[in-house]
Amino acid sequence: MYEYLEGVITLIMPNYIVVDVNGIGYKVYSPTPFAYEQGKKAKVYIEQKFSDNTGLTLYGFESEDAKGLFLKLLSVSGIGPKSALAIMAAEDSKSLAEAIEQGEVKYLTRFPGVGKKTASQIVLDLKGKLGDYVQRLDQEHNEEVSPALNDALLALIALGYTKKEVNKITPKLEQADADSADEYIKYGLSLLLKK
């Protein structure tokens, strides 16, 4: 069993990458192949699956957490590796995990190959099991943003907006020319009230 591959990304395609490890090119299916840079060294966390039709297939992820989310999706009845990859490719991992944690069946039906029955099964099997994952992603993101912006994001949630609503406007807030939490809050409220 491989845990990860560390090597140079020699090819990036819409649904896979090729990782050269000491002269051997590994074809690795990924939900986010364009997150890698061709010609650059990368560490890709690997999950192997074997089937009679395709033989040994490698699936790769940018982090152990993303690999963990993939494995959790695979544990859901009716979801195979291709479906799990398609779901992860269609949405950032944090929004996906939050939707599952909040039981948003309708939101999950927008993913390729996920009908109402499968979406309900995902929520039934995984709700309550992704809280740590969401918390780690929040913590990583909070370390990347300024303290003033972080305070503003927490304030907007305290005002009653959902994490999902606040996450949608965060990129715009990050680009704003604000000096204090108050300025971020005012701008954030103006964005949220437009919707």
Side-chain angles (χ1 to χ4, degrees), residues 24-191:
I24 300 172
Y26 293 90
K27 182 178 186 178
V28 180
Y29 289 92
S30 170
T32 55
F34 295 105
Y36 300 96
E37 283 187 64
Q38 194 162 329
K40 299 273 181 161
K41 195 170 186 179
K43 187 176 199 176
V44 183
Y45 292 88
I46 297 295
E47 180 60 28
Q48 299 174 91
K49 292 290 172 194
F50 183 84
S51 76
D52 292 335
N53 298 337
T54 58
L56 182 66
T57 306
L58 301 177
Y59 300 93
F61 308 90
E62 290 181 89
S63 68
E64 287 184 80
D65 281 336
K67 177 182 169 181
L69 180 60
F70 175 74
L71 293 174
K72 283 193 176 4
L73 286 170
L74 287 183
S75 73
V76 175
S77 174
I79 294 190
K82 284 185 181 176
S83 297
L85 275 189
I87 291 168
M88 291 179 72
E91 189 65 62
D92 69 278
S93 297
K94 185 171 183 235
S95 297
L96 172 62
E98 285 176 345
I100 294 168
E101 281 297 293
Q102 293 165 11
E104 295 181 28
V105 172
K106 189 177 177 187
Y107 177 84
L108 295 172
T109 58
R110 55 183 264 215
F111 297 118
V114 178
K116 192 171 182 182
K117 185 178 176 186
T118 304
S120 298
Q121 191 66 48
I122 291 170
V123 169
L124 181 69
D125 289 356
L126 298 182
K127 188 175 180 179
K129 296 180 180 176
L130 300 174
D132 289 347
Y133 177 67
V134 172
Q135 203 171 7
R136 275 194 302 278
L137 289 175
D138 279 341
Q139 191 174 357
E140 284 172 19
H141 184 262
N142 290 345
E143 288 169 3
E144 292 171 10
V145 301
S146 72
L149 176 54
N150 190 41
D151 289 347
L153 297 175
L154 293 172
L156 291 170
I157 292 168
L159 288 170
Y161 292 98
T162 65
K163 275 187 171 185
K164 195 171 166 187
E165 289 172 317
V166 173
N167 286 341
K168 275 188 178 176
I169 64 159
T170 300
K172 288 184 181 176
L173 289 174
E174 287 174 333
Q175 294 172 358
D177 187 26
D179 295 323
S180 68
D182 286 343
E183 289 177 26
Y184 280 119
I185 292 167
K186 284 177 189 169
Y187 182 48
L189 287 171
S190 73
L191 293 170

